[in-house]
Amino acid sequence: MDAPISHHALIAPVLAALERILVGKAETVRLALCCALAGGHLLLEDVPGVGKTTLAYGLTSVLGLEFKRVQFTADLLPADVVGVSIFDAETRSFHFHRGPIFTQLLLADEINRATPKTQSALLEALAEGQVTVDGTRHHLPQPFFVVATQNPHHQIGTFPLPESQLDRFLMRLTIGYPDRAAEREILTGDDRQAMAREQPALLAPPELLALRTKARETRCSGALVDYVQDLLAASRARPDWGGGFSPRAGLALRDAARAYALLQDRDYALPEDVQAVAVAVLAHRLPIGDPEREVQRLLEVVAVP
């Protein structure tokens, strides 16, 4: 009988393929895959043209997921995302017609160009993996993974995401401009978005679900939980931080650290894993001017066990 394939053997080719697609952004790729393994949802915020959509296409290709894209605009309605019940004259009954949210990976492109009413259509799906229409619950396919892109708030025609919606995203990442060597490779090489679309699947949905289960089983010692609680407590002691981080943020930090440990081919999480994911997991939950820098400072002042 053949020996079972190790988790590292499954993950390593996925990381390598994503790094070829999004050149020069290895840590961004690692965190994005970490988000998928942790079972969370990903918010990509950056200026246009740096690879947000390309990364989303790359993720859906390598993970072998069913994919749909919704371009969010000011005139988009909640029913355009979730679906709508339509009256059938022959049967004299309503039938639910599913919207594009019924997929395994939904690219919510430029999510903050839609009105708050339409943005809120995603809340139940992000939190519970289901939508409710006319009092009937409809479960979404599993795995279900939302990758939303967001333009900077200073750009014309944007509606800031409310805190309750931001809190449903496990991570927020920025990609940033490539360095000179990576940019030259982009300028002289193949089209990266086409490469992302054509990338063969390296995992199947059942394998992704199995990896998510493995991530949840990653051990967290009592000392590590103490460290997470110390970070939460320190944030709540800051009067300018709007109350600090919630228990949900603590759970997100723990889950992301477990998934990051799995990426390192370990079955136990370390404080280094918490630190690696902390900015991506926590910064967008802070209603202050420079949250990334403040989270980094938090990591510097809270003692590591």
Side-chain angles (χ1 to χ4, degrees):
M1 181 181 293
D2 293 336
I5 299 175
S6 71
H7 297 102
H8 181 69
L10 288 172
I11 293 170
V14 172
L15 279 172
L18 289 172
E19 288 172 11
R20 287 193 298 271
I21 292 168
L22 196 67
V23 182
K25 298 294 178 181
E27 189 57 24
T28 301
V29 163
R30 184 173 292 272
L31 287 170
L33 183 57
C34 173
C35 187
L37 295 179
H41 305 289
L42 177 62
L43 180 63
L44 299 172
E45 181 178 334
D46 219 319
V47 296
V50 294
K52 300 187 299 295
T53 304
T54 300
L55 177 57
Y57 280 128
L59 285 166
T60 193
S61 294
V62 297
L63 299 177
L65 300 177
E66 179 190 355
F67 172 81
K68 290 180 184 175
R69 174 180 178 174
V70 177
Q71 186 67 46
F72 279 63
T73 57
D75 59 351
L76 192 74
L77 297 175
D80 296 328
V81 179
V82 174
V84 63
S85 294
I86 298 177
F87 184 72
D88 187 330
E90 291 186 7
T91 62
R92 302 197 61 80
S93 61
F94 284 91
H95 295 279
F96 179 60
H97 289 246
R98 295 182 168 193
I101 200 170
F102 286 87
T103 189
Q104 292 175 325
L105 191 150
L106 175 71
L107 172 57
D109 211 7
E110 297 185 310
I111 188 174
N112 61 332
R113 291 199 179 277
T115 61
K117 181 177 182 179
T118 302
Q119 291 175 11
S120 67
L122 286 174
L123 272 174
E124 184 182 10
L126 290 170
E128 302 177 37
Q130 66 179 30
V131 296
T132 303
V133 179
D134 297 331
T136 302
R137 287 183 296 178
H138 303 271
H139 293 283
L140 297 170
Q142 292 300 318
F144 176 65
F145 183 29
V146 174
V147 178
T149 70
Q150 178 171 242
N151 293 326
H153 297 311
H154 66 267
Q155 293 193 346
I156 296 172
T158 60
F159 300 86
L161 295 179
E163 286 84 354
S164 59
Q165 182 115 333
L166 286 171
D167 199 41
R168 281 359 186 243
F169 286 97
L170 180 71
M171 290 186 182
R172 181 183 66 179
L173 299 176
T174 57
I175 295 175
Y177 294 116
D179 61 28
R180 189 174 181 88
E183 190 167 40
R184 187 173 187 87
E185 187 174 345
I186 293 169
L187 292 171
T188 59
D190 295 332
D191 181 272
R192 298 292 152 177
Q193 196 163 116
M195 184 187 299
R197 291 172 183 267
E198 296 165 3
Q199 167 65 44
L202 299 174
L203 289 180
E207 291 174 312
L208 176 57
L209 290 173
L211 287 171
R212 286 183 173 183
T213 299
K214 184 65 178 177
R216 288 193 297 270
E217 294 172 349
T218 299
R219 290 179 286 118
C220 290
S221 67
L224 188 71
V225 175
D226 286 340
Y227 181 48
V228 171
Q229 287 192 284
D230 290 344
L231 291 170
L232 299 180
S235 75
R236 294 165 190 166
R238 292 286 300 270
D240 56 330
W241 280 18
F245 298 124
S246 68
R248 180 188 292 153
L251 290 170
L253 189 58
R254 180 205 64 185
D255 292 346
R258 283 173 164 170
Y260 200 85
L262 183 63
L263 288 176
Q264 308 300 317
D265 199 26
R266 282 187 272 102
D267 62 357
Y268 55 93
L270 296 172
E272 290 86 342
D273 302 315
V274 174
Q275 294 168 342
V277 301
V279 172
V281 171
L282 298 177
H284 64 287
R285 305 171 199 269
L286 277 182
I288 56 177
D290 192 350
E292 289 82 3
R293 184 177 63 181
E294 293 301 320
V295 172
Q296 287 286 9
R297 287 179 175 174
L298 181 70
L299 294 172
E300 292 169 3
V301 301
V302 174
V304 176

